[in-house]
């Protein structure tokens, strides 16, 4: 696993974020939080997809009051997402929420900040300060002309100072923007400036295709520099896809183990339907819980050689293909049997290693 820049560590309902903790994946329910049944069902779907922490919108008291019922039915830490209303933060804290996302500069003055800081401190509830380039303070836009990494850092400092004033330092930070270069620059500067754990995300990225690319470039770039402790991919799609995409980004960045597939891009030497075969293999290995690499290569000439590092693989020939394991060829199979032969081999070895 890649090395992370050291930060302070916080505990979100027992899930550690920052320091030497593994990078975690979050998503946010799009159910009405007061609809306990629907929210619990969606959290269970997140859990099945591998989510570590879930965030819920808390726009009103009804939502805040639902938190205790939801917590009784799920075993995933819950973050309350609150804007402007400190009373909602107090209610969420009383109902056992595990973290609160709130910007203390926007909750109506120091007395309110003190009340939230004290309520959270008493219960060991960390607070995420969420700086967003699209909603920076007016004075900062006037000072910097437009949202810049420096303006975002100054905004974060203001919110942090408010909490620190009341002896509260159990903080995590996010620095989101809808521009990938701005997001990356803001996180780099945040990592240089603060010792708080960083929640990574690019915001308002669009639908699944566009959002995946923007998130992979933005989150992936900073992760590969050792920056970032928890991630949330934002997609205009079923939020379960956010969890799957987040896990895929962590795997691509070398931060999460699991099964990995490599396949060649095909070329004029390809004599089988490699695209169809690769899609079939990808689907059938998806649930295998092993830290292995599976290669699907288009030709025998370059296949096993190029995929030498893979644990298992197939390399296509003319209507047939080779099956190999750690570079050693185990046999030749007709095209129609190739995928089954590969899956049988992996499954057998998986049972032996159990
Ligand atoms: Fe072409 Fe073979 Fe390389 Fe695939 S593995 S791209 S078929 S040379």
């Amino acid at each position: 696993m890649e090395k992370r820049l050291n930060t302070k560590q916080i505990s979100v309902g027992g899930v550690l974020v920052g320091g030497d903790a593994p990078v975690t994946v979050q998503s946010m329910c799009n159910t009405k939080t007061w609809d306990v049944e629907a929210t619990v069902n969606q959290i269970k779907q997140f859990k099945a997809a591998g989510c570590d922490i879930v965030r819920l919108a808390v726009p009103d008291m009804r939502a805040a009051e639902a938190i205790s019922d939801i917590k009784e039915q799920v075993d995933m830490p819950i973050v309350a997402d609150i804007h402007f209303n400190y009373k909602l933060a107090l209610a969420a804290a009383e109902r056992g929420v595990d973290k609160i996302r709130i910007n203390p500069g926007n909750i109506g003055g120091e007395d309110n900040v003190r009340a939230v800081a004290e309520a959270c401190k008493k219960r060991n509830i960390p607070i995420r300060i969420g700086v967003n380039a699209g909603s920076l303070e007016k004075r900062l836009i006037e000072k910097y002309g437009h949202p810049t990494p420096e303006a975002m850092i100054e905004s974060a400092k203001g919110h942090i100072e408010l909490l620190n004033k009341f002896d509260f330092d159990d903080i995590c930070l996010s620095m989101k923007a809808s521009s990938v270069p701005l997001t990356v620059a803001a996180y780099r500067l945040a990592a240089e400036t603060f010792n708080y754990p960083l929640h990574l995300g690019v915001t308002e990225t669009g639908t699944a295709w566009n959002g995946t690319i923007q998130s992979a470039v933005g989150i992936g770039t900073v992760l590969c520099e050792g920056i970032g402790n928890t991630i949330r991919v934002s997609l205009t799609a079923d939020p379960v896809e956010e969890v799957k995409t987040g896990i895929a980004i962590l795997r691509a960045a070398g931060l999460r183990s699991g099964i990995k597939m490599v396949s060649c891009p095909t070329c004029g030497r390809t004599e089988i339907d490699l695209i169809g075969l690769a899609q079939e293999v990808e689907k059938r290995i998806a649930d295998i819980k092993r830290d292995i690499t599976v290669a699907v290569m288009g030709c025998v000439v370059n296949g096993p050689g190029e995929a030498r590092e893979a644990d298992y693989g197939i390399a296509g020939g003319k209507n047939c293909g080779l099956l190999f394991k750690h570079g050693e060829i185990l046999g030749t199979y007709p095209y129609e049997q190739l995928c089954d032969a590969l899956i049988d081999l992996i499954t057998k070895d998986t049972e032996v290693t159990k």
Side-chain angles (χ1 to χ4, degrees):
M1 297 284 158
E2 300 291 322
K3 206 167 157 23
R4 318 302 307 149
L5 287 186
N6 199 18
T7 68
K8 183 186 170 84
Q9 189 171 72
I10 62 168
S11 170
V12 184
V15 172
L16 300 177
V17 175
D20 58 359
V23 180
T24 45
V25 172
Q26 310 198 15
S27 185
M28 186 164 178
C29 284
N30 60 2
T31 53
K32 299 295 178 202
T33 303
W34 51 258
D35 185 343
V36 173
E37 192 184 339
T39 304
V40 165
N41 281 341
Q42 193 166 55
I43 295 172
K44 287 181 177 168
Q45 288 175 36
F46 288 0
K47 179 91 185 173
C51 188
D52 301 299
I53 297 170
V54 61
R55 182 156 49 117
L56 306 177
V58 180
D60 52 33
M61 216 32 103
R62 201 176 169 198
E65 284 167 357
I67 288 171
S68 31
D69 284 347
I70 296 167
K71 273 203 65 87
E72 272 175 22
Q73 297 178 57
V74 298
D75 60 353
M76 191 182 294
I78 292 177
V79 184
D81 188 88
I82 296 168
H83 293 266
F84 311 120
N85 188 340
Y86 83 105
K87 286 189 180 158
L88 295 176
L90 298 182
E94 268 170 33
R95 298 281 172 159
V97 85
D98 299 293
K99 183 173 151 199
I100 293 177
R101 187 274 189 209
I102 195 166
N103 285 352
N106 306 338
I107 61 174
E110 292 198 358
D111 287 348
N112 297 354
V113 177
R114 181 204 301 270
V116 172
E118 284 175 357
C120 288
K121 193 164 185 182
K122 197 164 90 186
R123 300 172 177 90
N124 296 320
I125 300 171
I127 292 179
R128 168 158 72 92
I129 293 170
V131 175
N132 192 315
S135 55
L136 283 176
E137 294 88 330
K138 205 165 153 245
R139 68 176 174 85
L140 293 174
I141 296 296
E142 278 163 12
K143 177 174 170 185
Y144 290 93
H146 58 95
T148 63
E150 292 74 16
M152 292 170 75
I153 294 293
E154 197 169 324
S155 175
K157 275 184 182 161
H159 294 299
I160 292 165
E161 277 165 16
L162 272 171
L163 288 176
N164 285 171
K165 196 168 179 178
F166 299 107
D167 198 25
F168 189 94
D169 202 43
D170 199 7
I171 294 171
C172 146
L173 281 179
S174 62
M175 312 289 287
K176 299 187 185 182
S178 55
S179 147
V180 170
L182 177 56
T183 305
V184 169
Y187 277 113
R188 283 177 179 152
L189 196 54
E192 267 174 49
T193 313
F194 305 112
N195 187 36
Y196 297 115
L198 294 175
H199 163 121
L200 303 184
V202 182
T203 194
E204 299 141 13
T205 58
T207 53
W209 163 250
N210 201 35
T212 296
I213 292 170
Q214 302 220 40
S215 299
V217 175
I219 296 173
T221 300
V222 283
L223 282 178
C224 288
E225 293 173 10
I227 298 168
N229 310 93
T230 183
I231 68 170
R232 191 257 169 131
V233 171
S234 303
L235 300 176
T236 311
D238 180 340
V240 175
E241 294 304 313
E242 298 184 348
V243 179
K244 293 181 186 166
T245 307
I247 291 171
I249 291 173
L250 290 185
R251 282 197 184 142
L255 293 167
R256 197 54 86 94
S257 57
I259 198 155
K260 180 180 168 194
M261 192 178 106
V262 295
S263 56
C264 83
T266 73
C267 73
R269 293 184 190 86
T270 320
E271 302 264 16
I272 54 168
D273 171 18
L274 192 79
I275 297 172
L277 187 61
Q279 284 170 346
E280 177 72 16
V281 170
E282 187 174 58
K283 222 189 304 164
R284 292 181 63 185
I285 64 172
D287 293 327
I288 295 175
K289 306 263 180 280
R290 281 181 68 197
D291 192 11
I292 51 172
T293 301
V294 178
V296 180
M297 308 299 281
C299 77
V300 189
V301 183
N302 289 344
E306 284 188 11
R308 204 174 294 117
E309 301 294 319
D311 297 285
Y312 302 92
I314 44 188
K318 198 167 174 57
N319 299 319
C320 67
L322 297 177
L323 177 67
F324 58 92
K325 179 177 166 182
H326 301 304
E328 187 196 334
I329 295 167
L330 302 182
T332 307
Y333 294 83
Y335 173 78
E336 301 72 33
Q337 293 172 19
L338 260 178
C339 188
D340 283 347
L342 175 72
I343 301 299
D344 283 354
L345 175 64
I346 300 173
T347 312
K348 258 187 224 138
D349 283 359
T350 305
E351 276 160 12
V352 171
T353 56
K354 262 183 194 165

